[in-house]
């Protein structure tokens, strides 16, 4: 399957009909909504709660997942209406990437391209397979704990090392 092929029905990201390797030719700030959304690899890491050191600004990733993250698919269970449930969920856009890229996961396509780096070989836009991120072991599939069941005081115990 190539990036021009129809995505499987369980893949919520529409990569159908996009220009081949558009991300190599087009600056992030020039991408349309479909191209921007297609950059998401479906790893689920952006939906993990993070801890930021107030003094250093260093961001630590935890395996404590947002209440809306589906641990099996690594996609938001309520993506289109997520702000009704999680008002402070950040919508990453070409306009705000400069402000937010620093806390994105190290393997995130948005962060990588923002830094001028290539997509990883396992990225679905390269493989044409939305499961390639899981097969490569770079997703959070079946690796998270619920924010409902994990006290904030215990989040330090759930810090994970990147890259995953």
């Amino acid at each position: 399957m190539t990036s021009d092929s129809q995505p499987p029905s369980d893949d919520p990201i529409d990569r159908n009909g996009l220009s081949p390797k558009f991300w190599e030719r087009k600056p992030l700030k020039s991408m349309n909504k479909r191209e921007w959304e297609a950059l998401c690899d479906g790893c689920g890491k952006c939906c993990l709660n993070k801890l930021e050191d107030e003094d250093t600004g260093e961001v630590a990733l935890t395996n404590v997942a947002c209440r809306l993250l589906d641990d099996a698919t690594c996609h938001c269970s309520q993506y289109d209406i997520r702000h009704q449930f999680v008002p402070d969920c950040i919508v990453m856009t070409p306009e705000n990437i400069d402000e937010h890229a620093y806390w994105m996961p190290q393997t995130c396509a948005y962060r990588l391209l923002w830094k001028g780096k290539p997509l990883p070989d396992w990225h679905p836009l390269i493989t044409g397979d939305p499961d390639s991120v899981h097969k490569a072991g770079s997703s959070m599939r079946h690796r998270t704990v619920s924010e409902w069941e994990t006290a904030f005081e215990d989040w330090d115990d759930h810090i994970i090392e990147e890259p995953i």
Side-chain angles (χ1 to χ4, degrees), residues 1-162:
M1 183 160 106
T2 67
S3 59
D4 291 334
S5 299
Q6 184 68 26
S9 59
D10 62 344
D11 183 11
I13 301 169
D14 181 9
R15 296 183 180 94
N16 187 41
L18 295 172
S19 177
K21 298 188 178 185
F22 67 87
W23 61 92
E24 292 179 357
R25 297 184 312 280
K26 203 169 194 182
L28 287 171
K29 295 190 187 251
S30 297
M31 291 184 185
N32 64 41
K33 185 170 173 51
R34 278 195 60 234
E35 291 166 333
W36 181 263
E37 292 287 322
L39 291 177
C40 176
D41 61 27
C43 71
K45 292 181 220 169
C46 62
C47 298
L48 299 176
N49 287 290
K50 292 133 189 95
L51 299 172
E52 185 170 358
D53 185 296
E54 292 178 13
D55 298 325
T56 66
E58 185 176 329
V59 177
L61 198 61
T62 72
N63 69 338
V64 181
C66 167
R67 68 196 79 157
L68 299 179
L69 182 68
D70 181 324
D71 183 68
T73 65
C74 290
H75 290 286
C76 180
S77 62
Q78 300 293 326
Y79 186 74
D80 292 333
I81 58 171
R82 64 192 181 277
H83 289 103
Q84 292 178 22
F85 303 99
V86 184
D88 59 346
C89 178
I90 294 173
V91 177
M92 188 69 70
T93 67
E95 292 77 30
N96 70 13
I97 189 152
D98 293 339
E99 181 182 347
H100 298 294
Y102 79 95
W103 61 261
M104 295 299 289
Q106 292 178 16
T107 58
C108 175
Y110 301 106
R111 181 176 178 170
L112 290 171
L113 294 174
W114 179 75
K115 293 177 100 178
K117 296 183 177 181
L119 296 182
D121 292 342
W122 47 257
H123 194 286
L125 283 171
I126 293 175
T127 66
D129 178 3
D131 285 331
S132 59
V133 64
H134 308 301
K135 292 173 185 172
S138 294
S139 79
M140 291 306 297
R141 181 178 275 174
H142 306 304
R143 297 182 189 189
T144 66
V145 295
S146 167
E147 69 181 358
W148 292 117
E149 298 170 10
T150 309
F152 178 74
E153 309 82 60
D154 296 334
W155 285 13
D156 282 358
D157 298 332
H158 292 275
I159 292 174
I160 56 178
E161 295 295 320
E162 282 200 272

